[in-house]
Amino acid sequence: MVAITLENVSKYFGETVANYQVNLQVTDGEFLVILGPSGCGKTTALRLIAGLEQPSEGAIYFDDDRVDGRSPSARNIAMVFQNYALYPHMTVAENIGYPLKVRGFSPDERDEKVEDVTSLLHIEDQVEKKPGALSGGQRQRVALARAIVREPTVFLLDEPLSNLDAKLRQEMRSELKRLQNELEITTVYVTHNQEEAMSMSDRVAVMNQGTVQQVAPPQELYDRPRTAWVAQFIGSPPMNLFQGTRRNGSIDLGEAGTVDLSGVLEAKEAVVETSERDDVQSTALLASDTQGTVSLGIRPENLTLASTPPPSGNVIEGRVDTVEPMGEYILVNVSVNDQIVNAKVSDRTVSRGDRVYLTFDTNDAYVYDTNGDLVA
Amino acid sequence: MSLQDHIDGITVDRDEGGLLDIDREKAVALAVFLVPGLTLFGIFSVAPIVYSVFGSFFSWDTFTLESFVGLDNWIRSLTDQLIIHWPNMQELRYPMGALTHNLLWVVIHVPASTFLGLGLALLFADLKGRRFLRSMIFVGFTVPPIVIGLVLMFIYDPRAGLFNEVLRVLGQEQWVRNWTQSPQVAIYALIAGGIWVHTGFSMLLYSSALSAIDPSLLESAKVDGAGAWRRFRDIIWPLVRPVTAVVVIMGIIWVMRMFDIVYAAGGAAGGPNHAYSVLGIEVYRAAFRPPIDYGMAMVVALVQLFIVAPLALYIARMN
């Protein structure tokens, strides 16, 4: 088992920048998920760790060993590809045994290990079949078996569940998590599915446009998204961001109302201290004579809907656009300043066209500056 | 008309034997479409074969059928030294007979053009400008074989020929000769030319087979620890096997029907003293050059057919 370190790693494909100055630490035995939209460079990052691509700049370490420049086979990694990449002309047993065969294990050893791993993944009765005769879920298991059979030090997975149906995906998710817990292999898992990322990972690295935006445990990622982009990427539906002007210690949201900035800042004081930079900026924000554009972020689940103006607190005014009953909650889309705002509510008391008042706890509000960085 | 009426109408049709009517109509339509094709196939393929089989048991006066002679034509042809020359074969001296020459083409030309094609396809797979290179190689295959034969004559010419010039430049003067007219080496010179032409064909087929292999399979093998040779042996070679079958069989068919290149280089005799004659040449000479031996022409053509037909059938029935 090893720890993985990416140090200022960049990867260029001609003019295209796939990764730019990526810094990432994966600790020994950790389950790290790289999460991002398609084209954000997450798969390239994984392929750099695998050795299928070599970085244009920067260094990659496994523990203290610098591994960039080494071939994939010299890194003792195993990888599961999005389309499983099973060898179509070999049986399941031959597929799983192939890494062992290449590494010169005797046929007896091979059979023994293949038997162990197939029983671990419940595919003992499939070993004589060719991959073409298997279902998606079974292929997935074979690919996993082939990856873990030779006990690699690093386990890399590239969107392994994206070809499965919803039910199977759920099943394989917990199975993968169980396997990783049992084997304690350092794992890097790439996905664009935030549900997968949140449910399986120890930590999530959120990537966008080739750079790492934030690395944090799932809950922290949800509770304290460091950039407006992460805030809007994590959560379903995404966080609402209101554009406003900071003036005299409050945020002016135009016709929709005004939010008292000091309240938000005070509520956040304890947490904001985690970073010096934030502290300085939030103090600057409080200075009443400064002005500027900021974004106020509130998650749909933290908004409360009222049809009469509440007596006190922060209020944002809008008009109901659509109401979507989702079963476990009702999603109300409210039009505020020509922007659609999502609110998750528990009962249906409003209908289209109603004038409504959105209230929230200052604890649940985030303020991002013009660069999209979290300031409070 | 209501929906119920419509359904009733359908039921009535069926009661009156509608299904049978449809089948009969279908059969007529099928026949109408099949007749033109089958007619042509019958006139130009089946009839000549049947006629040849029939005629091979008769004696001929030029093009006129004479009397039934049993296996006479067959025995005479297959023991003819132009077809199989046992004494020369034992001494490895040319000519060895047209059938032997054809088989020599199969043994040398087919593996060589197959492996060269695969090699070039692998080489070009990740190369910049591969389209241009591929086209250059394939152009050879688009040239009519008779022209290839003439080109080979020029290349192997003792004075003006490129090949001998290269030998001179390399200081190998002792090898300089008229390659297409030296009985002991001429057939190899022609086979080399045939390989050059046919490599383009196998390279093209292999190129498309290689690009059909999912790259993640090769990456997966890399991660599994397989080096370049193992990736080729364990992944690429098994996955292109269907194409190998096609390339090999098409190659065998191509050389078994060989005529143009040999004719261009060596005329109707198939080289000096028939040194590199092939079955196609013998059919041509027996049928069209005096003394005309139509019976032998039929037998030799049928021998060609018996070798090629099962292979063609195998390809046609491949999945």
Side-chain angles (χ1 to χ4, degrees), chain A residues 47 73 77 79 81 83 85-89 98-99 102-103 146 150, chain B residues 214 216-217 219-226 230-231 234-235 238-239:
Chain A
R47 291 168 62 86
S73 54
I77 48 137
M79 187 158 168
F81 292 80
N83 59 359
L86 299 178
Y87 311 125
H89 56 291
Y98 187 67
V102 170
R103 274 152 214 266
R146 187 176 64 184
R150 66 182 161 87
Chain B
D214 180 354
S216 67
L217 289 182
E219 288 183 339
S220 176
K222 245 186 229 178
V223 169
D224 285 344
R230 285 213 78 134
R231 287 202 296 277
D234 296 344
I235 313 293
L239 289 180

Side-chain angles (χ1 to χ4, degrees), chain B:
Chain B
M1 190 160 127
S2 75
L3 184 64
Q4 189 52 51
D5 290 343
H6 195 74
I7 292 169
D8 288 343
I10 291 171
T11 328
V12 169
D13 273 355
R14 191 168 293 154
D15 289 344
E16 290 174 356
L19 276 176
L20 267 178
D21 276 346
I22 290 168
D23 277 357
R24 202 176 305 137
E25 268 172 36
K26 222 187 211 170
V28 170
L30 280 174
V32 166
F33 283 108
L34 279 174
V35 161
L38 282 178
T39 311
L40 292 174
F41 180 68
I43 293 173
F44 293 105
S45 293
V46 179
I49 292 172
V50 173
Y51 186 62
S52 295
V53 173
F54 174 77
S56 68
F57 297 109
F58 285 82
S59 67
W60 292 77
D61 179 19
T62 329
F63 297 134
T64 319
L65 198 65
E66 299 249 288
S67 56
F68 183 79
V69 291
L71 287 174
D72 198 38
N73 283 328
W74 286 86
I75 293 162
R76 190 164 47 81
S77 302
L78 294 177
T79 53
D80 192 326
Q81 294 203 329
L82 284 173
I83 305 301
I84 304 170
H85 198 307
W86 288 109
N88 276 1
M89 278 171 73
Q90 276 151 357
E91 294 168 32
L92 293 178
R93 204 174 57 221
Y94 292 93
M96 297 190 195
L99 181 59
T100 320
H101 296 158
N102 265 120
L103 295 178
L104 203 65
W105 273 84
V106 170
V107 172
I108 300 174
H109 170 105
V110 174
S113 63
T114 303
F115 285 117
L116 263 176
L118 177 57
L120 288 176
L122 285 169
L123 188 69
F124 292 165
D126 308 312
L127 218 60
K128 254 194 175 157
R130 56 176 173 268
R131 286 182 183 204
F132 175 73
L133 289 167
R134 253 183 230 158
S135 320
M136 293 304 288
I137 303 277
F138 189 67
V139 151
F141 192 69
T142 63
V143 175
I146 190 86
V147 177
I148 299 292
L150 294 172
V151 170
L152 287 179
M153 292 273 280
F154 287 124
I155 288 179
Y156 290 127
D157 186 271
R159 267 177 299 280
L162 184 71
F163 189 67
N164 284 315
E165 196 51 43
V166 169
L167 288 176
R168 279 190 208 101
V169 168
L170 293 174
Q172 305 293 315
E173 296 270 354
Q174 73 276 18
W175 286 97
V176 171
R177 66 188 73 187
N178 189 348
W179 288 90
T180 56
Q181 303 306 319
S182 314
Q184 283 303 98
V185 294
I187 188 167
Y188 301 107
L190 293 189
I191 289 176
I195 291 169
W196 160 54
V197 176
H198 214 234
T199 294
F201 171 74
S202 61
M203 178 208 61
L204 202 75
L205 288 194
Y206 274 124
S207 283
S208 62
L210 287 181
S211 60
I213 295 178
D214 180 354
S216 67
L217 289 182
L218 297 173
E219 288 183 339
S220 176
K222 245 186 229 178
V223 169
D224 285 344
W229 165 244
R230 285 213 78 134
R231 287 202 296 277
F232 173 75
R233 197 190 66 184
D234 296 344
I235 313 293
I236 296 175
W237 181 245
L239 289 180
V240 298
R241 197 152 51 195
V243 169
T244 304
V246 172
V247 167
V248 166
I249 291 175
M250 295 293 279
I252 296 175
I253 292 174
W254 195 73
V255 299
M256 284 312 296
R257 296 168 50 206
M258 175 59 56
F259 176 83
D260 330 41
I261 293 180
V262 174
Y263 184 79
N273 190 28
H274 317 289
Y276 44 83
S277 172
V278 286
L279 292 175
I281 293 280
E282 294 307 326
V283 174
Y284 173 78
R285 224 187 28 253
F288 302 119
R289 288 289 165 104
I292 287 174
D293 186 347
Y294 220 51
M296 176 172 171
M298 285 177 165
V299 168
V300 177
L302 285 171
V303 168
Q304 263 184 310
L305 181 76
F306 290 153
I307 296 173
V308 168
L311 297 171
L313 200 68
Y314 177 82
I315 283 210
R317 302 185 63 154
M318 252 174 75
N319 285 326

Side-chain angles (χ1 to χ4, degrees), chain A residues 117-232:
Chain A
V117 75
T118 48
S119 69
L120 182 69
L121 284 158
H122 315 299
I123 42 172
E124 307 95 318
D125 45 346
Q126 315 289 338
V127 288
E128 294 309 320
K129 290 185 187 164
K130 293 265 175 79
L134 302 180
S135 68
Q138 289 166 334
R139 282 182 214 181
Q140 176 66 74
R141 281 162 199 271
V142 176
L144 284 172
R146 187 176 64 184
I148 59 182
V149 71
R150 66 182 161 87
E151 295 154 24
T153 52
V154 177
F155 198 19
L156 305 172
L157 301 109
D158 184 8
E159 310 219 12
L161 305 185
S162 58
N163 287 352
L164 302 179
D165 64 51
K167 187 172 169 289
L168 211 51
R169 196 150 49 206
Q170 184 96 32
E171 238 174 79
M172 287 307 292
R173 219 156 72 187
S174 35
E175 177 118 2
L176 260 175
K177 185 74 191 156
R178 172 181 71 86
L179 265 177
Q180 204 267 341
N181 279 337
E182 268 171 41
L183 303 168
E184 292 180 327
I185 301 175
T186 311
T187 302
V188 182
Y189 182 110
V190 160
T191 182
H192 62 261
N193 181 323
Q194 52 164 309
E195 224 175 285
E196 272 172 35
M198 303 298 260
S199 62
M200 297 167 73
S201 66
D202 295 325
R203 283 190 308 155
V204 181
V206 183
M207 282 190 75
N208 185 33
Q209 299 194 322
T211 58
V212 175
Q213 300 269 322
Q214 183 172 6
V215 187
Q219 196 58 45
E220 188 184 325
L221 206 62
Y222 176 83
D223 288 340
R224 289 201 56 73
R226 296 192 61 87
T227 66
W229 190 86
V230 174
Q232 288 212 290

